[in-house]
Amino acid sequence: MDRKHSYSTRSCAPGVEIRDWGDGRTSLRILFKYRGVRCRETIRLKATKQNINYAVRRRAEVLGAIERNMFNYPEYFPDSKRARLFGYEESVANRQVTVGTLLTEYLEQIERPLELSTIRGYRKTCEAHLFPMFGNMPLHELTPAVLRRWIGGLTMKLKTVSNILVPLRAIIAQALADGIIDKDPLATIKLSKLLDKHTCKSEHTVDPFNAKEIAAILEAAQAQVKNL
């Protein structure tokens, strides 16, 4: 056996092992049971006191998530092959889907049902704002915190920001339907609380009809239109 790749293990804390490699290296491994299966996952850190304490805390997080039925194997161990044992192949693939990929698909999908002017508007919005900011970001990393920071830095009218978010809302809705994500990161976002109160106000001024204009409209209207 190649001694470089051989190792021995020893316990250093409940559910935590030290791996002593043949070439002198050390690493840590945590043990837990998931769906009745004994699992061992390596943490690629040296066996120092600080790292052992980290491994203990990490194991506690895993056990807590399992107990609450909120454990997602790839989220805790994205490089683990064992995740496939529990049917997480699709979940692992979903984590690679980027916002840019979904926006590109969205722009292609709307070419037939929408007017050309609307399509051009959405494409311009994506190219000016969404692709530069989120194009290469995996969708699962598009969290409420990320969105709040981005929106909070915009100096635009509330309506403009709402329009910018239309394509983003569309791909999030589709991703939820397809099972790529299980939560809407925009669900808790309140634009009015994030945008500067001076810059987000609309420039539109209400200009109601005066008495003379109302009389003229009623004079010209007929039948049901006049009743309205």
Side-chain angles (χ1 to χ4, degrees):
M1 180 183 293
D2 186 352
R3 296 297 297 171
K4 181 178 179 180
H5 298 290
S6 65
Y7 64 86
S8 60
T9 60
R10 51 194 169 97
S11 177
C12 60
V16 180
E17 294 178 339
I18 296 175
R19 270 184 171 184
D20 295 300
W21 295 86
D23 59 2
R25 293 177 297 117
T26 60
S27 61
L28 297 169
R29 188 166 66 175
I30 64 175
L31 289 66
F32 57 95
K33 185 176 287 188
Y34 179 53
R35 297 183 184 176
V37 178
R38 290 178 59 84
C39 302
R40 295 178 173 86
E41 291 295 343
T42 298
I43 298 177
R44 302 185 186 282
L45 296 173
K46 293 181 180 179
T48 65
K49 182 177 180 180
Q50 182 178 3
N51 290 340
I52 290 172
N53 289 336
Y54 167 79
V56 170
R57 293 193 301 271
R58 187 64 171 168
R59 179 174 182 268
E61 291 178 10
V62 169
L63 295 178
I66 293 173
E67 183 178 358
R68 298 190 303 273
N69 198 30
M70 297 176 63
F71 180 64
N72 185 299
Y73 218 111
E75 287 186 4
Y76 283 86
F77 306 105
D79 300 323
S80 174
K81 295 180 180 179
R82 185 174 290 275
R84 299 175 184 174
L85 199 69
F86 303 102
Y88 281 104
E89 293 91 345
E90 185 177 350
S91 180
V92 173
N94 286 345
R95 290 175 63 84
Q96 309 305 318
V97 177
T98 65
V99 175
T101 297
L102 296 179
L103 285 173
T104 299
E105 292 177 356
Y106 168 74
L107 292 173
E108 292 174 353
Q109 291 168 1
I110 64 175
E111 286 184 356
R112 293 182 64 182
L114 297 184
E115 295 291 336
L116 182 59
S117 59
T118 303
I119 296 170
R120 286 174 176 170
Y122 286 154
R123 182 173 287 113
K124 184 177 180 180
T125 291
C126 290
E127 292 175 351
H129 303 285
L130 300 180
F131 280 123
M133 188 67 193
F134 305 114
N136 295 323
M137 179 181 290
L139 183 62
H140 77 276
E141 294 182 9
L142 189 67
T143 63
V146 169
L147 288 166
R148 282 195 298 269
R149 285 195 295 271
W150 172 60
I151 293 171
L154 297 176
T155 54
M156 303 174 185
K157 306 300 179 186
L158 190 147
K159 181 172 175 54
T160 302
V161 177
S162 295
N163 290 339
I164 291 172
L165 291 178
V166 169
L168 204 55
R169 292 188 189 279
I171 68 166
I172 288 172
Q174 187 62 58
L176 285 168
D178 292 342
I180 297 175
I181 55 175
D182 54 14
K183 293 181 181 179
D184 180 355
L186 279 168
T188 59
I189 300 293
K190 304 295 183 184
L191 297 184
S192 59
K193 294 183 178 181
L194 296 175
L195 298 172
D196 184 277
K197 63 181 180 181
H198 298 294
T199 59
C200 74
K201 289 181 180 178
S202 174
E203 294 177 344
H204 177 70
T205 301
V206 178
D207 184 20
F209 295 117
N210 57 37
K212 185 176 180 180
E213 290 168 332
I214 292 173
I217 293 172
L218 292 175
E219 181 68 25
Q222 297 179 358
Q224 191 62 27
V225 174
K226 188 170 185 177
N227 293 333
L228 291 173

